[in-house]
Each structure stands twice: as C-alpha cells, then as structure tokens.
Amino acid sequence: MMDTNDVIKEVNTYLTGLLQKDMDVYAASRHLVLAGGKRLRPLMVVRVYEALGGDGREVIPAASSVELVHNFTLIHDDIMDNDDFRRGVPTVHKAYGVPLAILAGDLLFALGYKAISDSKPFMEDERKFFRAVNALSRYVIELCEGQNMDIKPPAEFNDRYYFELIKKKTSSLFMLSALYGVYGMGRYDLEGYAEKFGENFGIIFQLTDDLLGLIGNPEVTKKPVGSDLREGKSTLPIHLAIRKADGELRSRILSVYGKGADNRIMEDIVNRIRALNIEEDVKRIIRVYLNEALSALDHLGSGDANSELRKMVEGLVERQY
C-alpha cells in the first residue's frame, strides 16, 4: 500500500506535469490546483483500487482525473459566487480575470478525460475505459444539476431538497472516485457498493462542513465566525438552529442571516446556537450515514487500504476545518 504522503506527492507531480505549458490558461489552471487541498478524492481512488488488490501507482492519473474535475467545478463555483479567496489564495477569476478563469475551468475539465487514458488499467482495457468515461460524464452532469439546485433553492428550506442537493453536488465526485477504483480492477459487481460508499462519504463531508460553517472555530477554519450564517447559506445546521431557538434568539439569528454583523454580536449569537446542542443533533444524523458508508466498505476489499478508507470516513466526523 502506498503511503498517504506518497499518493499526494505523486498526484501533485502528475498534475504539475500536465499543467506545465507556458500559456496564460495553464498558469490560471495551475493557480488553484497547486495551491493545496485535501486530495480526498484521489486518495479514495487509490485506496479502493489497493483494497481490491491493485498497485496504487497504476491509477495515479485516474486519481488525478477526479482532482482536475473537482478544481474545474471550484473555479466556476467561485465565479458564480464572486468569492475572493480559496485555499488561502485569491480565486482564479480575481487573479486572472473572469474570461481566463472560465477557460481554465474548461481546460481542467477536458484534462480530466485525458488523465483517464494515462492510467494503466484503463489504457489496456476498452471496457474499463468505457466504464470510467461513462461514469465521469454521468457524475459531472449530476454535479451541474446540483449546482443549479444550489443557486435556485426553494423559498422555504426543505430537508429533502437539501439532501438531494448534497448527493448531486458533493457526493457525485466521491462516488466517481470509488467507481474508478472498482472499475480499474474490473470489479463491476461492486459498483453498487462503491456508489453507496461515495454517496454517504459525500453527505458526511458536507454535513460536517456545514456544521463548521455555522459554529466552527474561526482560528481553525480560517473563516469569519458564523461564516455560513453571514452569507445566508441554506444549510441543515442553520435551519435546525432556527427551528430550535426560542422567539428572541430566532429573531436575532434571522436579523444577521445573509446580512452579517460585527464579530462581537456574531460570536454571541453563535455561542447561543452552540448551547442549543446543534452539534450533537447534526452528529446524530451523521452517524446514520457513517453506518451506511461502513456497511458498503465491508464489501470493498480488505487489508490496510480498506482500513485507511475506514479511517478517512470516520475522520470526517471529527474534523475541525
């Protein structure tokens, strides 16, 4: 099994080589890709492939494929939201302008397909290649549908809509990552378990992210206190807080929702939200999806790589940033 740092290093080396051309669009494409990131999706590709008996180095390009597509979506998402920073650096459209940022995102999307064909298992087997390309197309479509849902939410928060949005916008690329791993080994019989693992992994990731966006420690998250509340995001933790709060606190939450306030006022509101035990409410929901993810993982190989996948999904629950 590859060491985690070695996986990340080899993915970064492959990405750097792919984006080394001396053109503005390549510079804009490198800007966010090489600025950091957790590389959870590439790690999932490699670990699933290894858990089923493969050599992780054989799927580094395929693992990088998901990271390329992920960054394509981030660049376009930042343009839609007009965000200024991501991963501690100016967003691509702020650094290079909107036209070049759009082009950079398009390039990363195209390179995501190229990277599949650079991966040994998919180069040598047409059926594996077809499955991988079909999955990439399918889940990028899902992701685009999720983005549409995100920018046009219903007037009133709806739990079912929220979870459908998460599945499409967040889970999609984790499902793709797990599928790359099983397709690379030709284990088409396991695609249902791969999709189930990736779907639940994504839901856990997003629920934790949304919890941190409400009550996370700004010194750790590197975001303003109550960041999602300030921005008026429609997340489950925020709406659970609104539902649980008494009349006075509910009014205070709504007074800053999507409008913001100075840090002292926001800290007071967030501290009062914490006292509602919102964190435990959300984690109770997360544990349901965690059990589903672990159940699927029981069918995805064995050994150290499978154990690492287990650690990855369990680690999401307690992450602080």
Side-chain angles (χ1 to χ4, degrees), residues 27-86:
S29 298
R30 290 192 298 268
H31 178 75
L32 183 60
V33 171
L34 302 181
K38 300 178 181 70
R39 304 295 194 240
L40 289 175
R41 295 157 191 84
L43 280 166
M44 185 179 291
V45 175
V46 170
R47 295 298 183 227
V48 172
Y49 188 73
E50 290 176 329
L52 297 173
D55 179 351
R57 289 173 179 80
E58 295 177 346
V59 288
I60 290 296
S64 303
S65 165
V66 192
E67 191 68 17
L68 288 161
V69 173
H70 173 54
N71 280 270
F72 136 68
T73 68
L74 296 181
I75 291 173
H76 285 193
D77 193 46
D78 287 340
I79 294 170
M80 289 182 232
D81 294 343
N82 197 28
D83 286 334
D84 293 335
F85 292 93
R86 185 180 287 276

Side-chain angles (χ1 to χ4, degrees), residues 198-218:
E199 178 181 307
N200 286 285
F201 190 102
I203 293 171
I204 296 165
F205 180 92
Q206 191 62 55
L207 281 169
T208 305
D209 205 57
D210 290 344
L211 181 62
L212 292 173
L214 176 61
I215 62 171
N217 182 346

Side-chain angles (χ1 to χ4, degrees), residues 294-305:
L294 295 176
S295 173
L297 196 54
D298 287 340
H299 300 272
L300 296 176
S302 58
D304 291 343

Side-chain angles (χ1 to χ4, degrees), residues 238-278:
I238 287 175
H239 286 278
L240 283 176
I242 292 171
R243 292 170 194 168
K244 289 191 75 174
D246 60 25
E248 185 268 337
L249 178 56
R250 186 180 300 114
S251 295
R252 292 201 70 194
I253 294 171
L254 293 174
S255 73
V256 299
Y257 185 47
K259 302 163 191 172
D262 67 49
N263 284 343
R264 182 181 57 80
I265 292 173
M266 190 62 77
E267 284 174 6
D268 178 63
I269 293 173
V270 168
N271 283 335
R272 292 183 64 185
I273 289 173
R274 287 194 186 102
L276 296 173
N277 292 321
I278 293 300

Side-chain angles (χ1 to χ4, degrees), residues 43-273:
L43 280 166
M44 185 179 291
V45 175
V46 170
R47 295 298 183 227
V48 172
Y49 188 73
E50 290 176 329
L52 297 173
D55 179 351
R57 289 173 179 80
E58 295 177 346
V59 288
I60 290 296
S64 303
S65 165
V66 192
E67 191 68 17
L68 288 161
V69 173
H70 173 54
N71 280 270
F72 136 68
T73 68
L74 296 181
I75 291 173
H76 285 193
D77 193 46
D78 287 340
I79 294 170
M80 289 182 232
D81 294 343
N82 197 28
D83 286 334
D84 293 335
F85 292 93
R86 185 180 287 276
R87 295 175 181 166
V89 299
T91 49
V92 178
H93 69 281
K94 291 296 181 182
Y96 291 90
V98 171
L100 204 56
I102 293 172
L103 189 59
D106 293 344
L107 176 62
L108 293 177
F109 180 44
L111 288 173
Y113 281 90
K114 180 189 183 304
I116 300 173
S117 62
D118 285 343
S119 214
K120 183 180 177 183
F122 302 110
M123 282 191 296
E124 297 177 347
D125 188 312
E126 287 185 4
R127 188 181 183 192
K128 292 178 180 180
F129 181 76
F130 172 78
R131 291 274 187 144
V133 168
N134 183 266
L136 174 55
S137 301
R138 185 168 73 252
Y139 282 114
V140 170
I141 290 169
E142 288 275 307
L143 200 155
C144 290
E145 290 174 357
Q147 181 65 12
N148 189 143
M149 293 174 70
D150 197 22
I151 61 178
K152 282 197 153 186
E156 292 188 13
F157 182 82
N158 180 299
D159 288 25
R160 182 179 297 178
Y161 192 93
Y162 171 81
F163 281 103
E164 183 64 21
L165 187 156
I166 288 178
K167 290 176 185 178
K168 286 180 176 289
K169 189 174 177 183
T170 306
S171 293
S172 55
L173 293 187
F174 288 115
M175 295 167 80
L176 177 65
S177 299
L179 282 174
Y180 274 179
V182 300
Y183 288 162
M185 290 300 293
R187 293 297 307 272
Y188 311 121
D189 57 312
L190 297 177
E191 61 183 0
Y193 295 114
E195 288 179 317
K196 182 181 176 184
F197 177 67
E199 178 181 307
N200 286 285
F201 190 102
I203 293 171
I204 296 165
F205 180 92
Q206 191 62 55
L207 281 169
T208 305
D209 205 57
D210 290 344
L211 181 62
L212 292 173
L214 176 61
I215 62 171
N217 182 346
E219 294 183 4
V220 179
T221 64
K222 306 303 179 186
K223 295 179 180 179
V225 60
S227 58
D228 283 2
L229 196 56
R230 293 173 186 270
E231 295 175 24
K233 291 188 177 180
S234 193
T235 71
L236 183 64
I238 287 175
H239 286 278
L240 283 176
I242 292 171
R243 292 170 194 168
K244 289 191 75 174
D246 60 25
E248 185 268 337
L249 178 56
R250 186 180 300 114
S251 295
R252 292 201 70 194
I253 294 171
L254 293 174
S255 73
V256 299
Y257 185 47
K259 302 163 191 172
D262 67 49
N263 284 343
R264 182 181 57 80
I265 292 173
M266 190 62 77
E267 284 174 6
D268 178 63
I269 293 173
V270 168
N271 283 335
R272 292 183 64 185
I273 289 173

